[in-house]
Each structure stands twice: as structure tokens, then as C-alpha cells.
Amino acid sequence: MHGPRLSHIDDPGPLRIPPALTLGTLAVGVLGLLVFLFAAFTGAEETRQSAWAGFFVSYIFFFFIALGAAAFLAIQYVTGAKWIVVLRRLPEALTSFLYRGGFVFPLFALLGTGYIYSWAAPDATYPYPNTVKEWWLSPGVHVVKVIVYVVPLVFLAFFLVKNSLRSDRRPDPGFSQRQLRLSIIFLVAFGFLFSLFSWDVVMSVEPRWFSTMFGVYCFSGAFLSAIAAMMILTFVLRRRTDLVQGRHLYDMGTYVMGFATFMAYIGFSQFMLIWYANLEDETLFYIRRFEGNWMPLVVALSLLKFIIPFLVLMPPRMRTNVYAQVICCLGILLGQFIDIYWIVMPAYSDTLVLPGLVNVATFLGVAGIFGWSTLSFFASHSYLPAGDPDLLSSVNGDYLHA
Amino acid sequence: MARLRVPAVLGFYDDADDLLHVAEKARVQEGFKNLDAYSPYPVHGMEEALGLQRSWVSTAARVGLFVGAFLGFTFQSWASAIDWPVNIGGKPFISWPAWIPITFETGVLLAGFCNLFALMIACGIYPKPKTIILSKRITNDRFVMTIPVKDPEEEKRAIAFLRRHKVLKIKIADRIDQERERVVFRAVPEGGGTESS
């Protein structure tokens, strides 16, 4: 329970990651994306459609993990949380995807607007002609919207991480004040821009349908998958250092369980209100996603994202069991992918479609870039924020009785 | 916080960390049993240090949760499908998604009640609170370790152990006066510690 109290922690330096691994991940990423580009620009019309859809699902999945991690980071700064300091490099590594290539994906997806969104297709028949919504969902406005949503979030997240990295080399007495101010700005911007991003970029694949809860729904998925990804990195970090202790795992596990519950709450609230009101414009989303063999995905994602983690992590001793947690978190990540797939793909097909080879290659492509940005982050920066005065508190557990 | 076992040697400290370390040593190295501690606020890690088992309070809450959820769901099904079936918007009589919020609420309600009453019973403050005050300073700035002792031999050992661990003051609770609901103290052999009371 009580390890030896430390009075000083040396900067441990970066993790030793074989350069072959980093380069290999990057190579997988580049190859996968080349396959995607080949299919998206030279394939038959049907192949292009499917390639762009797969690209959209893959990039949203990783982009949401990175955004969720940035929000997690900002929340820890705003609440002045000290327990997280020893683990802070993990959300920072995930966030680094945003400015190390991640921001390119939503911008690049603009080239495929005509394939991804039915309202932007050349022969589009918009369900509400001559309304503001028709103008709002037009390709030109869409370009402006995506830039306005993505660029500020990426910039703020970049500074959030960079300030913390800078404090490693040069301890900064004003560090927590500055990060607090930046995090508040980030969270306010995130609240607006992430909701708008969810509505305009993700929800508009089904242009007739709208749900004001959709932003929160996407946030809950993004946040949960970011925490799940952090949990998996915690497992890796724990093999390198014994400073990450049982109580850190316990707190992370509580976070996973809490946000799995939050996810279910938001998902069910959205479904129940629409199901109960039974309005034509609203139920079409769920009808298309329950019929035509799409139902198994609903069962899978509710099991993976809520029921299994909730029941498995309920006993307190399971929340210090790193294997149970990692298995639950891998399930959550799979469930989050299924969730996005289930939201997006029925817009293109009335019956269940499984990912094709090009889609798998595209997913590996985005995953490779994501993995490369995480690995090279750990290879070039210390895995503990040694310059942060709260690191000792986090390791010694002083925050528990402060 | 179970009831105080008497006779017991009480060691007074003014620091939560000291209390934590003394409790762990008393249990692990000296092998004292049934240790308890009193503090002005919850001290994290105290349960592990004292070697307390997980209480049955959370089990009671869990039972309350499942019973409450089951009853809530059953009552809604009975009311709208059997007792007074009403066709609402062409939906089936048992439209379970609409009942989830109420099922959740009844589950939480009963879990909350079970938790509260189980806690009161476990702490011995049900049906009426009986507070036995060891020292008024426990609500302010003192942390107290209680070591129940069986015989004078063990009592001596406990006193010696506490003295070795920079105790501020030692008291011996001899018995509990049930009528007046207070602890009767006994004089400590060879002075009471470093702090004068």
C-alpha cells in the first residue's frame, strides 16, 4: 500500500523504442493510405464511394480519440488534479496525433465530400429545399466550417502539450496558472466546436435526421475511447516504471467505468426520446440502423462499450487488475469503432456491409499514422513530466490527504 | 467505526501519517488484533493499515439496487399491461424502453435507503445514535489509535509499543459505563506520555 516515500524523481528520459518499430508503423500508415488514394482516385465509382466511406470512419475514430485525450488533459488542468501527473504523458501522446498529421485528415476528407455526404453528391436531392439548412449543408460552406472547427482546437491542443513538454527542460513557476488559463479556453472552444463538428461532419451523413444530443453522444464516445486508449498505454508504462501504482490504476478504472455508464446514459437517452416521440424525421435514423441486419452491431456496441466494462469493473479489486482493465478497454475501442461504423455506414447501404480489403488498408493507414505519432512522441520526450512540482505528490499519494 | 472494545489502550497523535504508520506497525509487526482508529476526517489508506475487512454495506446497497429495479420494472409492466392496459401511440403494452428511467430511479432509491440503513446498523447508530466520546479533540486535531487488550501483559506491551512511536498521550479505556454512555478511564502506569492533558 505505502511504497517508500520519494523526495526526488530524476528525469527518466524518453522510452527506448526501437527506431525500426517507429519507422515500420509509419510505413504501414503510408502504404495503407496509398492503397486508399489509389482506390479513391482511380477506382470505379462504387469503389471510390466505399473507399471514402472507409476513410471517413477510420479518421473519425482516431481523430475522436485524440480530441477526447485533449479534453481529458484540459479537464485535469482545470480541476487541478494531481493524481494524473505521473500519467500525464499518456493523454499528451494521444493528443500529439492532432498536430502531427491528424489535422490533415478532416481537411483531406473535404476532397471526398461528394462521396461521403449525400447532400454534396452531384445529383443531390436535398430533403428541405430552399431553406437555411440547404445552404448550411453545401460543399462550399462545409469547407469553411471544417477549417473553423478543426484549426482552433488543434492549435490550442498543440500549446497545451508544448507548454508541458517545455517545463521538462526548464521548470516554470507559472506553469499551472498558464495551463489553467489555456485549458479553460480550450474547454470552452471544445464545447462549441466539438458539438458543431459532430453535427456538421458526422451527423450530416444522414442529412434529414437531426438530434441535438448528437454532440454529447460523440463526446461521450470520444472521451471513453480516449480513456480506454490511455489505459492501454498505462499498461505499457507500468512495465517501464513502478511509479505507476495500484491507486492510479484504480482511478483510471473508475474513470473507464464512469464514462462507460455515461456513454450508455447518453446513447439510451437519445434513443428513448426519439423512439417515444416517434416522429418521422427522427426515427428514420434508427429504423435504418436497426433493420437490414444492422442490429447485431447495436448488440455488440452496447455489450462492448457498456455492459461488459460496467459489470467487470464493478468490484473494486477488478479496478486494480491491469489485465481485466486492458481487456475491457480493448473491447471499448472495438465498440467505439463499431459505433462510428454503425452511425456512418447505413447512410450508404440499406443492408449490412462489412469492411472490404481497401477499407482495412485505409484503417491500417490511419492507425499507422496514429501509432507513429504516439511512438515517436514517447521516443523523443521523457515519459514522466519531471519538471512538474506535483509529480512527487502524484507518486507519493499526498493528494489523497491534502 | 464499530463500537469501542474495552479495555483498550488509546494512543493520541496529531498527524494522520503518524497514525497510519503506527496502525500498520501495530498490526503487522506487533500482531495486535481488532485495532481501530478515530480521526477528524477520513484518512485515506486507514482501512488497509488497520487490516479492516470490506464491510457488508455495499452488498446491502447492491441487493437494494437489484430488488428496487426489479420491483420498479414489474410494477410498471403490471400497471400498464395487466391492471389498466392503455394503447399509447400504437406501442406494445410492455414498451420496456420507456420504463428504463423509472426502473433506474427505483433501483437507485432502494439502493440509497439500503446503503443508509446498513451504514447506520454497521456503525451502531441505529435505532438511536449512541456516541461515546473518547476525547473532544478527535473532532478537531487529534488522531487516536485504539489497541484492545486482553490482559495486563498485553496492555504493557501496547503501552511500550506506543511510547516507542512518539505518541503524544496515552489513555486506557477501562470499561464503558452503559447507563451514562461514557468511557471510564483508568490511570496509566508510569505517566501518560509526552503531552500533559
Short mmCIF file of all heavy atoms in Angstrom, two decimals, chain A residues 321-375:
data_model
loop_
_atom_site.label_atom_id
_atom_site.label_comp_id
_atom_site.label_asym_id
_atom_site.label_seq_id
_atom_site.Cartn_x
_atom_site.Cartn_y
_atom_site.Cartn_z
N ASN A 321 -6.79 -4.59 -11.22
CA ASN A 321 -6.32 -5.71 -12.03
C ASN A 321 -6.07 -5.22 -13.45
O ASN A 321 -7.00 -4.96 -14.20
CB ASN A 321 -7.39 -6.81 -12.01
CG ASN A 321 -6.97 -8.02 -12.82
OD1 ASN A 321 -6.16 -7.91 -13.74
ND2 ASN A 321 -7.52 -9.15 -12.49
N VAL A 322 -4.79 -5.10 -13.79
CA VAL A 322 -4.47 -4.43 -15.05
C VAL A 322 -4.93 -5.24 -16.26
O VAL A 322 -5.33 -4.68 -17.27
CB VAL A 322 -2.97 -4.08 -15.08
CG1 VAL A 322 -2.15 -5.31 -15.35
CG2 VAL A 322 -2.68 -3.02 -16.11
N TYR A 323 -4.95 -6.56 -16.14
CA TYR A 323 -5.35 -7.38 -17.30
C TYR A 323 -6.84 -7.23 -17.58
O TYR A 323 -7.25 -7.06 -18.73
CB TYR A 323 -4.96 -8.84 -17.08
CG TYR A 323 -3.47 -9.01 -17.01
CD1 TYR A 323 -2.81 -9.15 -15.80
CD2 TYR A 323 -2.71 -8.95 -18.18
CE1 TYR A 323 -1.44 -9.26 -15.75
CE2 TYR A 323 -1.33 -9.06 -18.14
CZ TYR A 323 -0.70 -9.21 -16.92
OH TYR A 323 0.66 -9.30 -16.87
N ALA A 324 -7.65 -7.28 -16.52
CA ALA A 324 -9.09 -7.10 -16.71
C ALA A 324 -9.35 -5.74 -17.35
O ALA A 324 -10.18 -5.62 -18.27
CB ALA A 324 -9.80 -7.19 -15.36
N GLN A 325 -8.62 -4.73 -16.88
CA GLN A 325 -8.85 -3.39 -17.41
C GLN A 325 -8.47 -3.29 -18.87
O GLN A 325 -9.19 -2.69 -19.67
CB GLN A 325 -8.01 -2.38 -16.62
CG GLN A 325 -8.34 -2.39 -15.18
CD GLN A 325 -8.53 -1.00 -14.69
OE1 GLN A 325 -9.22 -0.22 -15.31
NE2 GLN A 325 -7.95 -0.68 -13.57
N VAL A 326 -7.30 -3.87 -19.21
CA VAL A 326 -6.84 -3.74 -20.60
C VAL A 326 -7.80 -4.47 -21.53
O VAL A 326 -8.13 -3.98 -22.61
CB VAL A 326 -5.40 -4.26 -20.73
CG1 VAL A 326 -5.04 -4.47 -22.18
CG2 VAL A 326 -4.45 -3.26 -20.10
N ILE A 327 -8.29 -5.64 -21.10
CA ILE A 327 -9.23 -6.38 -21.96
C ILE A 327 -10.51 -5.57 -22.14
O ILE A 327 -11.02 -5.41 -23.25
CB ILE A 327 -9.48 -7.78 -21.37
CG1 ILE A 327 -8.22 -8.61 -21.53
CG2 ILE A 327 -10.66 -8.44 -22.06
CD1 ILE A 327 -8.22 -9.89 -20.76
N CYS A 328 -11.02 -4.99 -21.04
CA CYS A 328 -12.22 -4.16 -21.15
C CYS A 328 -11.98 -2.99 -22.10
O CYS A 328 -12.84 -2.63 -22.90
CB CYS A 328 -12.62 -3.60 -19.79
SG CYS A 328 -13.48 -4.78 -18.80
N CYS A 329 -10.79 -2.39 -22.00
CA CYS A 329 -10.51 -1.19 -22.80
C CYS A 329 -10.33 -1.54 -24.27
O CYS A 329 -10.75 -0.76 -25.14
CB CYS A 329 -9.28 -0.47 -22.26
SG CYS A 329 -9.66 0.33 -20.71
N LEU A 330 -9.73 -2.70 -24.56
CA LEU A 330 -9.66 -3.11 -25.97
C LEU A 330 -11.07 -3.31 -26.50
O LEU A 330 -11.39 -2.91 -27.64
CB LEU A 330 -8.86 -4.41 -26.10
CG LEU A 330 -7.35 -4.28 -25.90
CD1 LEU A 330 -6.69 -5.64 -25.84
CD2 LEU A 330 -6.74 -3.45 -27.03
N GLY A 331 -11.94 -3.88 -25.67
CA GLY A 331 -13.33 -4.05 -26.07
C GLY A 331 -14.01 -2.71 -26.31
O GLY A 331 -14.77 -2.54 -27.27
N ILE A 332 -13.70 -1.73 -25.45
CA ILE A 332 -14.31 -0.41 -25.61
C ILE A 332 -13.88 0.23 -26.92
O ILE A 332 -14.67 0.81 -27.65
CB ILE A 332 -13.95 0.49 -24.41
CG1 ILE A 332 -14.75 0.06 -23.18
CG2 ILE A 332 -14.21 1.95 -24.72
CD1 ILE A 332 -14.34 0.72 -21.91
N LEU A 333 -12.58 0.08 -27.24
CA LEU A 333 -12.09 0.67 -28.50
C LEU A 333 -12.76 0.00 -29.69
O LEU A 333 -13.18 0.67 -30.65
CB LEU A 333 -10.57 0.54 -28.60
CG LEU A 333 -9.78 1.45 -27.66
CD1 LEU A 333 -8.30 1.19 -27.80
CD2 LEU A 333 -10.08 2.90 -27.97
N LEU A 334 -12.90 -1.33 -29.63
CA LEU A 334 -13.60 -2.04 -30.71
C LEU A 334 -15.04 -1.55 -30.79
O LEU A 334 -15.56 -1.28 -31.88
CB LEU A 334 -13.55 -3.55 -30.44
CG LEU A 334 -14.27 -4.42 -31.47
CD1 LEU A 334 -13.63 -4.27 -32.83
CD2 LEU A 334 -14.25 -5.89 -31.04
N GLY A 335 -15.67 -1.40 -29.61
CA GLY A 335 -17.06 -0.94 -29.58
C GLY A 335 -17.20 0.46 -30.15
O GLY A 335 -18.16 0.76 -30.88
N GLN A 336 -16.22 1.33 -29.86
CA GLN A 336 -16.28 2.69 -30.39
C GLN A 336 -16.15 2.66 -31.91
O GLN A 336 -16.84 3.40 -32.61
CB GLN A 336 -15.15 3.53 -29.75
CG GLN A 336 -14.85 4.84 -30.43
CD GLN A 336 -15.91 5.89 -30.17
OE1 GLN A 336 -16.90 5.64 -29.50
NE2 GLN A 336 -15.73 7.07 -30.73
N PHE A 337 -15.29 1.78 -32.41
CA PHE A 337 -15.17 1.69 -33.87
C PHE A 337 -16.49 1.20 -34.47
O PHE A 337 -16.98 1.76 -35.47
CB PHE A 337 -14.02 0.76 -34.27
CG PHE A 337 -13.85 0.68 -35.76
CD1 PHE A 337 -13.19 1.69 -36.44
CD2 PHE A 337 -14.40 -0.36 -36.49
CE1 PHE A 337 -13.07 1.66 -37.81
CE2 PHE A 337 -14.28 -0.40 -37.86
CZ PHE A 337 -13.61 0.61 -38.52
N ILE A 338 -17.08 0.17 -33.85
CA ILE A 338 -18.36 -0.35 -34.34
C ILE A 338 -19.41 0.75 -34.29
O ILE A 338 -20.23 0.88 -35.20
CB ILE A 338 -18.78 -1.58 -33.52
CG1 ILE A 338 -17.82 -2.73 -33.77
CG2 ILE A 338 -20.20 -1.99 -33.85
CD1 ILE A 338 -18.10 -3.95 -32.93
N ASP A 339 -19.38 1.55 -33.23
CA ASP A 339 -20.35 2.62 -33.07
C ASP A 339 -20.27 3.61 -34.25
O ASP A 339 -21.27 3.93 -34.88
CB ASP A 339 -20.06 3.35 -31.75
CG ASP A 339 -21.21 4.23 -31.33
OD1 ASP A 339 -22.16 4.36 -32.10
OD2 ASP A 339 -21.15 4.80 -30.22
N ILE A 340 -19.05 4.04 -34.57
CA ILE A 340 -18.89 5.00 -35.66
C ILE A 340 -19.28 4.36 -36.99
O ILE A 340 -19.96 4.96 -37.82
CB ILE A 340 -17.46 5.56 -35.68
CG1 ILE A 340 -17.23 6.39 -34.43
CG2 ILE A 340 -17.21 6.39 -36.91
CD1 ILE A 340 -15.82 6.80 -34.22
N TYR A 341 -18.88 3.10 -37.15
CA TYR A 341 -19.24 2.37 -38.36
C TYR A 341 -20.75 2.29 -38.49
O TYR A 341 -21.31 2.51 -39.57
CB TYR A 341 -18.64 0.95 -38.26
CG TYR A 341 -18.63 0.18 -39.55
CD1 TYR A 341 -17.62 0.37 -40.47
CD2 TYR A 341 -19.62 -0.75 -39.83
CE1 TYR A 341 -17.59 -0.33 -41.65
CE2 TYR A 341 -19.60 -1.46 -41.01
CZ TYR A 341 -18.59 -1.25 -41.91
OH TYR A 341 -18.56 -1.95 -43.09
N TRP A 342 -21.41 2.04 -37.35
CA TRP A 342 -22.87 1.88 -37.34
C TRP A 342 -23.58 3.21 -37.58
O TRP A 342 -24.64 3.26 -38.17
CB TRP A 342 -23.25 1.29 -35.98
CG TRP A 342 -24.71 1.21 -35.69
CD1 TRP A 342 -25.58 0.30 -36.20
CD2 TRP A 342 -25.44 2.05 -34.81
NE1 TRP A 342 -26.82 0.52 -35.68
CE2 TRP A 342 -26.78 1.58 -34.83
CE3 TRP A 342 -25.13 3.13 -34.00
CZ2 TRP A 342 -27.78 2.18 -34.07
CZ3 TRP A 342 -26.12 3.72 -33.25
CH2 TRP A 342 -27.43 3.25 -33.28
N ILE A 343 -22.96 4.31 -37.14
CA ILE A 343 -23.57 5.62 -37.40
C ILE A 343 -23.43 5.98 -38.88
O ILE A 343 -24.37 6.48 -39.49
CB ILE A 343 -22.89 6.70 -36.52
CG1 ILE A 343 -23.28 6.55 -35.07
CG2 ILE A 343 -23.25 8.10 -37.01
CD1 ILE A 343 -22.49 7.41 -34.13
N VAL A 344 -22.23 5.70 -39.45
CA VAL A 344 -21.93 6.24 -40.77
C VAL A 344 -22.41 5.33 -41.89
O VAL A 344 -23.08 5.78 -42.82
CB VAL A 344 -20.40 6.49 -40.89
CG1 VAL A 344 -20.04 6.86 -42.31
CG2 VAL A 344 -19.97 7.56 -39.92
N MET A 345 -22.10 4.03 -41.81
CA MET A 345 -22.27 3.18 -42.98
C MET A 345 -23.72 2.97 -43.44
O MET A 345 -23.95 2.88 -44.65
CB MET A 345 -21.57 1.83 -42.76
CG MET A 345 -20.07 1.92 -42.62
SD MET A 345 -19.26 2.85 -43.94
CE MET A 345 -19.32 1.63 -45.25
N PRO A 346 -24.70 2.88 -42.52
CA PRO A 346 -26.07 2.69 -43.04
C PRO A 346 -26.53 3.83 -43.94
O PRO A 346 -27.52 3.69 -44.65
CB PRO A 346 -26.92 2.60 -41.78
CG PRO A 346 -25.98 2.12 -40.74
CD PRO A 346 -24.68 2.77 -41.07
N ALA A 347 -25.84 4.96 -43.92
CA ALA A 347 -26.20 6.05 -44.82
C ALA A 347 -25.96 5.66 -46.27
O ALA A 347 -26.54 6.24 -47.19
CB ALA A 347 -25.41 7.30 -44.47
N TYR A 348 -25.07 4.67 -46.50
CA TYR A 348 -24.73 4.31 -47.87
C TYR A 348 -25.36 2.99 -48.30
O TYR A 348 -25.35 2.66 -49.47
CB TYR A 348 -23.21 4.20 -48.04
CG TYR A 348 -22.46 5.37 -47.46
CD1 TYR A 348 -21.57 5.20 -46.42
CD2 TYR A 348 -22.68 6.65 -47.95
CE1 TYR A 348 -20.90 6.28 -45.88
CE2 TYR A 348 -22.01 7.73 -47.40
CZ TYR A 348 -21.12 7.53 -46.36
OH TYR A 348 -20.48 8.58 -45.83
N SER A 349 -25.83 2.22 -47.32
CA SER A 349 -26.32 0.89 -47.69
C SER A 349 -27.47 0.50 -46.76
O SER A 349 -27.38 0.68 -45.55
CB SER A 349 -25.19 -0.12 -47.56
OG SER A 349 -25.72 -1.42 -47.52
N ASP A 350 -28.53 -0.05 -47.36
CA ASP A 350 -29.67 -0.45 -46.55
C ASP A 350 -29.41 -1.74 -45.79
O ASP A 350 -30.03 -2.01 -44.77
CB ASP A 350 -30.91 -0.63 -47.43
CG ASP A 350 -31.44 0.72 -47.88
OD1 ASP A 350 -31.18 1.70 -47.17
OD2 ASP A 350 -32.09 0.78 -48.93
N THR A 351 -28.50 -2.56 -46.32
CA THR A 351 -28.20 -3.81 -45.62
C THR A 351 -26.76 -3.76 -45.14
O THR A 351 -25.93 -3.01 -45.64
CB THR A 351 -28.37 -5.03 -46.55
OG1 THR A 351 -27.60 -4.79 -47.72
CG2 THR A 351 -29.83 -5.22 -46.93
N LEU A 352 -26.49 -4.63 -44.15
CA LEU A 352 -25.18 -4.66 -43.51
C LEU A 352 -24.06 -4.84 -44.54
O LEU A 352 -24.11 -5.77 -45.34
CB LEU A 352 -25.15 -5.81 -42.50
CG LEU A 352 -23.84 -6.02 -41.75
CD1 LEU A 352 -23.57 -4.86 -40.82
CD2 LEU A 352 -23.88 -7.31 -40.97
N VAL A 353 -23.07 -3.94 -44.51
CA VAL A 353 -21.87 -4.16 -45.32
C VAL A 353 -20.70 -4.33 -44.38
O VAL A 353 -20.60 -3.63 -43.37
CB VAL A 353 -21.58 -2.99 -46.28
CG1 VAL A 353 -22.44 -3.08 -47.51
CG2 VAL A 353 -21.74 -1.67 -45.59
N LEU A 354 -19.83 -5.26 -44.69
CA LEU A 354 -18.64 -5.44 -43.88
C LEU A 354 -17.49 -4.73 -44.57
O LEU A 354 -17.51 -4.54 -45.79
CB LEU A 354 -18.34 -6.93 -43.73
CG LEU A 354 -19.40 -7.67 -42.91
CD1 LEU A 354 -19.15 -9.16 -42.93
CD2 LEU A 354 -19.45 -7.15 -41.48
N PRO A 355 -16.47 -4.31 -43.80
CA PRO A 355 -15.35 -3.59 -44.42
C PRO A 355 -14.66 -4.47 -45.46
O PRO A 355 -14.42 -5.65 -45.23
CB PRO A 355 -14.41 -3.32 -43.24
CG PRO A 355 -15.22 -3.52 -42.02
CD PRO A 355 -16.34 -4.44 -42.36
N GLY A 356 -14.35 -3.89 -46.61
CA GLY A 356 -13.63 -4.61 -47.64
C GLY A 356 -12.13 -4.48 -47.43
O GLY A 356 -11.67 -3.87 -46.46
N LEU A 357 -11.36 -5.04 -48.34
CA LEU A 357 -9.90 -5.02 -48.20
C LEU A 357 -9.36 -3.59 -48.22
O LEU A 357 -8.47 -3.23 -47.46
CB LEU A 357 -9.26 -5.82 -49.34
CG LEU A 357 -9.21 -7.33 -49.10
CD1 LEU A 357 -8.56 -8.03 -50.28
CD2 LEU A 357 -8.44 -7.63 -47.82
N VAL A 358 -9.94 -2.77 -49.12
CA VAL A 358 -9.48 -1.37 -49.20
C VAL A 358 -9.76 -0.67 -47.88
O VAL A 358 -8.93 0.09 -47.37
CB VAL A 358 -10.19 -0.65 -50.36
CG1 VAL A 358 -9.84 0.83 -50.35
CG2 VAL A 358 -9.79 -1.27 -51.68
N ASN A 359 -10.93 -0.95 -47.28
CA ASN A 359 -11.27 -0.31 -46.00
C ASN A 359 -10.30 -0.72 -44.91
O ASN A 359 -9.87 0.09 -44.09
CB ASN A 359 -12.69 -0.68 -45.59
CG ASN A 359 -13.72 -0.21 -46.59
OD1 ASN A 359 -14.69 -0.89 -46.86
ND2 ASN A 359 -13.48 0.95 -47.19
N VAL A 360 -9.94 -2.02 -44.90
CA VAL A 360 -8.99 -2.49 -43.89
C VAL A 360 -7.65 -1.78 -44.08
O VAL A 360 -7.03 -1.30 -43.12
CB VAL A 360 -8.82 -4.02 -43.97
CG1 VAL A 360 -7.73 -4.49 -43.04
CG2 VAL A 360 -10.14 -4.71 -43.62
N ALA A 361 -7.21 -1.68 -45.35
CA ALA A 361 -5.94 -1.00 -45.61
C ALA A 361 -6.01 0.47 -45.19
O ALA A 361 -5.07 1.00 -44.60
CB ALA A 361 -5.61 -1.10 -47.10
N THR A 362 -7.15 1.11 -45.45
CA THR A 362 -7.29 2.51 -45.06
C THR A 362 -7.23 2.65 -43.54
O THR A 362 -6.56 3.54 -43.01
CB THR A 362 -8.65 3.05 -45.55
OG1 THR A 362 -8.81 2.70 -46.90
CG2 THR A 362 -8.71 4.54 -45.38
N PHE A 363 -7.93 1.73 -42.84
CA PHE A 363 -7.89 1.78 -41.38
C PHE A 363 -6.46 1.62 -40.88
O PHE A 363 -5.99 2.38 -40.03
CB PHE A 363 -8.79 0.69 -40.78
CG PHE A 363 -8.78 0.67 -39.29
CD1 PHE A 363 -9.57 1.57 -38.58
CD2 PHE A 363 -7.98 -0.21 -38.59
CE1 PHE A 363 -9.55 1.57 -37.20
CE2 PHE A 363 -7.95 -0.20 -37.21
CZ PHE A 363 -8.74 0.69 -36.52
N LEU A 364 -5.74 0.63 -41.45
CA LEU A 364 -4.35 0.43 -41.04
C LEU A 364 -3.53 1.66 -41.37
O LEU A 364 -2.58 2.01 -40.65
CB LEU A 364 -3.77 -0.80 -41.73
CG LEU A 364 -4.30 -2.14 -41.21
CD1 LEU A 364 -3.70 -3.28 -42.01
CD2 LEU A 364 -3.97 -2.31 -39.74
N GLY A 365 -3.86 2.33 -42.47
CA GLY A 365 -3.14 3.55 -42.84
C GLY A 365 -3.28 4.62 -41.79
O GLY A 365 -2.28 5.16 -41.29
N VAL A 366 -4.54 4.92 -41.39
CA VAL A 366 -4.73 5.95 -40.37
C VAL A 366 -4.15 5.48 -39.04
O VAL A 366 -3.50 6.23 -38.31
CB VAL A 366 -6.23 6.30 -40.23
CG1 VAL A 366 -6.40 7.45 -39.27
CG2 VAL A 366 -6.82 6.66 -41.57
N ALA A 367 -4.36 4.18 -38.73
CA ALA A 367 -3.83 3.63 -37.48
C ALA A 367 -2.31 3.74 -37.46
O ALA A 367 -1.71 4.02 -36.42
CB ALA A 367 -4.26 2.18 -37.31
N GLY A 368 -1.68 3.53 -38.62
CA GLY A 368 -0.22 3.62 -38.69
C GLY A 368 0.26 5.03 -38.38
O GLY A 368 1.21 5.22 -37.62
N ILE A 369 -0.43 6.03 -38.94
CA ILE A 369 -0.03 7.41 -38.65
C ILE A 369 -0.26 7.72 -37.16
O ILE A 369 0.59 8.33 -36.49
CB ILE A 369 -0.84 8.40 -39.52
CG1 ILE A 369 -0.65 8.10 -41.01
CG2 ILE A 369 -0.45 9.84 -39.22
CD1 ILE A 369 0.74 8.34 -41.52
N PHE A 370 -1.38 7.23 -36.64
CA PHE A 370 -1.68 7.45 -35.22
C PHE A 370 -0.61 6.78 -34.34
O PHE A 370 -0.07 7.38 -33.42
CB PHE A 370 -3.06 6.87 -34.91
CG PHE A 370 -3.54 7.14 -33.52
CD1 PHE A 370 -4.12 8.35 -33.20
CD2 PHE A 370 -3.41 6.18 -32.53
CE1 PHE A 370 -4.57 8.60 -31.92
CE2 PHE A 370 -3.86 6.43 -31.25
CZ PHE A 370 -4.43 7.64 -30.95
N GLY A 371 -0.29 5.52 -34.68
CA GLY A 371 0.71 4.79 -33.91
C GLY A 371 2.07 5.44 -34.02
O GLY A 371 2.79 5.56 -33.03
N TRP A 372 2.40 5.90 -35.22
CA TRP A 372 3.70 6.56 -35.41
C TRP A 372 3.78 7.82 -34.56
O TRP A 372 4.80 8.08 -33.90
CB TRP A 372 3.89 6.92 -36.88
CG TRP A 372 5.02 7.87 -37.10
CD1 TRP A 372 6.34 7.56 -37.08
CD2 TRP A 372 4.90 9.27 -37.30
NE1 TRP A 372 7.07 8.70 -37.28
CE2 TRP A 372 6.22 9.77 -37.42
CE3 TRP A 372 3.83 10.16 -37.42
CZ2 TRP A 372 6.48 11.12 -37.63
CZ3 TRP A 372 4.08 11.48 -37.63
CH2 TRP A 372 5.40 11.96 -37.73
N SER A 373 2.69 8.62 -34.53
CA SER A 373 2.78 9.87 -33.77
C SER A 373 2.90 9.56 -32.28
O SER A 373 3.64 10.23 -31.56
CB SER A 373 1.56 10.76 -34.07
OG SER A 373 0.45 10.34 -33.33
N THR A 374 2.21 8.51 -31.79
CA THR A 374 2.32 8.16 -30.37
C THR A 374 3.72 7.64 -30.05
O THR A 374 4.34 8.06 -29.07
CB THR A 374 1.26 7.10 -30.02
OG1 THR A 374 0.01 7.55 -30.48
CG2 THR A 374 1.20 6.86 -28.53
N LEU A 375 4.22 6.72 -30.88
CA LEU A 375 5.54 6.12 -30.61
C LEU A 375 6.63 7.17 -30.68
O LEU A 375 7.52 7.23 -29.82
CB LEU A 375 5.83 5.01 -31.62
CG LEU A 375 5.07 3.70 -31.44
CD1 LEU A 375 5.37 2.76 -32.59
CD2 LEU A 375 5.47 3.05 -30.13
#
